[in-house]
Amino acid sequence: LEKKKTKDLFQKFEGATSLGIYYDNPQMAIDKNECRAIVGVLVPPNVSIGDLRAEVNADEYKIAEVPRVESIRVFWPFRNVLSFLVLALRAYPVMERYLRAVSYT
């Protein structure tokens, strides 16, 4: 999403946060270019899908519900574009240690 459009969503929906879902670990991927991820804006639970559709242009935004799944969550402040790089460098080792500790395969 463009920065201005994303900022508009944060202004329209108080409590909205950014969201990134990474489905693959690039350190374990055979082809790092095939890693899957989505990035978006997470609106508060009190905003219904109908309210969201009424407020945003469907040509500019894709609206989707993300189902609850067992996952590891990492919270990281977004200050600039480099935040994503620092997040990946810091978060993956911590997540890997956690997964080993709980014997997740």
Side-chain angles (χ1 to χ4, degrees):
L1 295 175
E2 291 178 24
K3 188 174 183 178
K4 182 192 179 311
K5 290 180 186 177
T6 304
K7 186 176 178 183
D8 290 346
L9 284 180
F10 288 114
Q11 290 172 346
K12 285 183 183 182
F13 302 106
E14 185 177 338
T17 58
S18 30
L19 167 74
I21 300 175
Y22 301 89
Y23 295 103
D24 304 297
N25 181 343
Q27 295 175 348
M28 298 177 73
I30 294 170
D31 182 353
K32 292 180 180 10
N33 294 318
E34 296 295 319
C35 290
R36 300 164 296 150
I38 60 171
V39 178
V41 175
L42 183 64
V43 295
N46 64 325
V47 178
S48 72
I49 294 291
D51 292 342
L52 190 57
R53 285 197 172 110
E55 288 288 329
V56 300
N57 182 340
D59 294 332
E60 295 178 346
Y61 299 100
K62 180 177 180 180
I63 299 172
E65 275 190 87
V66 179
R68 289 186 178 267
V69 296
E70 187 174 336
S71 61
I72 300 173
R73 296 186 307 175
V74 176
F75 296 94
W76 192 263
F78 178 80
R79 292 192 173 80
N80 58 48
V81 177
L82 292 176
S83 295
F84 290 113
L85 175 62
V86 175
L87 168 63
L89 293 172
R90 302 273 313 266
Y92 278 117
V94 172
M95 291 187 296
E96 287 172 353
R97 282 194 300 275
Y98 170 78
L99 291 171
R100 279 194 300 275
V102 298
S103 300
Y104 182 83
T105 54

